[in-house]
Amino acid sequence: ALYGETPVYTFTPQECSQIASVLVDGVEVTSELVGSLTSGATYTFDPVDTAHNISVTFEVITYVLSTIYSGTGFGYCVPEQDTVECNETVLYTINAGTGSYIESYTITNDMGTNFVDMSGFHSASFSFNIDNITSHTTVKVVFNRFQKNVTVVNAGGNGTICCDTTVLYGDSCIVRVDADAAAGYHIDYITDGTDTTYYTTGDVTAEYRVYDIINDVTITAAFAINEYRIVTLFTPEGYATAVPADTLV
């Protein structure tokens, strides 16, 4: 450049690159550029009165890939969060935890929002490519827990057990059992079909809890008639007969 001129330098990055820094005589002047670091920018010298050195450094543009979780279940994704280069394709894997399944996932970036419903598949693991990433990208993954059926059975009547229901995998459940006390019945036993059987001592009402339900479960209650002992007593002054002398009724 001639003395007093104000030369203009234009810097144009290639696709997926950006201007990282511009130095004039070893001093950074990036903040003085006019334009865009990604599409191109210019630097204008003050009127020159001496020799100068100008240099530019370009770098690959990077974006953040992040994950958001929601739903009643749990799981994890790979990668959960990562820094990816422009135009990179990422293999993304969703893994549901025990008792959970993938309900849906949504990818949001500069291409818009892509929602994928997977509720009908009950998948435990699923992989797909996120192609040619050119912006920050968020994947929202919904995990839900499987539902398990709780069925109640009244063995023989003479009371009530309430009620049929559904619970989420791993949850507990309480059922209420009531004997027909007015008709002389009490609860005989309550069982969930495992080694756990609850025998009462004449209770007419009870609450039975099943913990950590991971399979369908059936809870059965049985009722029994109350029994009463009648004892005959004799005194020395006389005698009496009773039939039967000692019995249960």
Side-chain angles (χ1 to χ4, degrees):
L2 298 177
Y3 179 89
E5 288 185 337
T6 56
V8 177
Y9 280 77
T10 300
F11 310 104
T12 304
Q14 293 181 346
E15 182 182 3
C16 282
S17 296
Q18 65 183 2
I19 301 168
S21 65
V22 176
L23 303 179
V24 174
D25 299 330
V27 178
E28 185 164 349
V29 295
T30 310
S31 61
E32 300 176 29
L33 297 179
V34 176
S36 169
L37 296 180
T38 55
S39 60
T42 61
Y43 176 78
T44 302
F45 278 92
D46 292 332
V48 295
D49 56 6
T50 187
H52 294 286
N53 291 315
I54 186 169
S55 63
V56 60
T57 301
F58 297 99
E59 64 184 0
V60 175
I61 300 172
T62 59
Y63 302 104
V64 175
L65 172 63
S66 57
T67 303
I68 299 174
Y69 299 116
S70 64
T72 62
F74 68 97
Y76 66 95
C77 298
V78 180
E80 191 170 62
Q81 181 164 326
D82 199 7
T83 299
V84 298
E85 294 186 349
C86 176
N87 259 342
E88 183 177 350
T89 293
V90 174
L91 176 63
Y92 194 88
T93 301
I94 305 174
N95 297 291
T98 302
S100 299
Y101 63 94
I102 305 166
E103 176 76 19
S104 65
Y105 66 89
T106 305
I107 304 173
T108 303
N109 52 29
D110 63 346
M111 302 298 291
T113 298
N114 180 29
F115 171 78
V116 179
D117 183 2
M118 297 192 64
S119 59
F121 301 99
H122 286 176
S123 298
S125 183
F126 183 72
S127 297
F128 55 92
N129 284 331
I130 305 177
D131 296 317
N132 307 118
I133 296 174
T134 55
S135 70
H136 298 306
T137 300
T138 300
V139 183
K140 181 178 181 180
V141 180
V142 179
F143 294 112
N144 280 335
R145 283 183 286 168
F146 289 105
Q147 289 190 335
K148 298 300 174 181
N149 296 314
V150 178
T151 304
V152 298
V153 175
N154 186 332
N158 303 307
T160 60
I161 177 171
C162 185
C163 294
D164 288 346
T165 188
T166 58
V167 299
L168 295 178
Y169 182 99
D171 282 354
S172 60
C173 175
I174 298 175
V175 297
R176 181 179 175 85
V177 182
D178 292 287
D180 187 353
Y185 284 86
H186 64 273
I187 302 169
D188 186 19
Y189 66 84
I190 309 169
T191 181
D192 57 21
T194 65
D195 294 335
T196 303
T197 301
Y198 171 64
Y199 293 94
T200 75
T201 56
D203 293 343
V204 296
T205 185
E207 288 187 341
Y208 185 81
R209 181 188 292 269
V210 183
Y211 296 91
D212 300 323
I213 297 173
I214 61 174
N215 295 300
D216 293 341
V217 63
T218 298
I219 302 173
T220 302
F223 305 92
I225 190 74
N226 297 334
E227 295 182 346
Y228 304 98
R229 183 176 297 277
I230 298 177
V231 179
T232 303
L233 301 176
F234 300 93
T235 66
E237 289 77 13
Y239 70 92
T241 61
V243 180
D246 190 358
T247 189
L248 292 174
V249 297

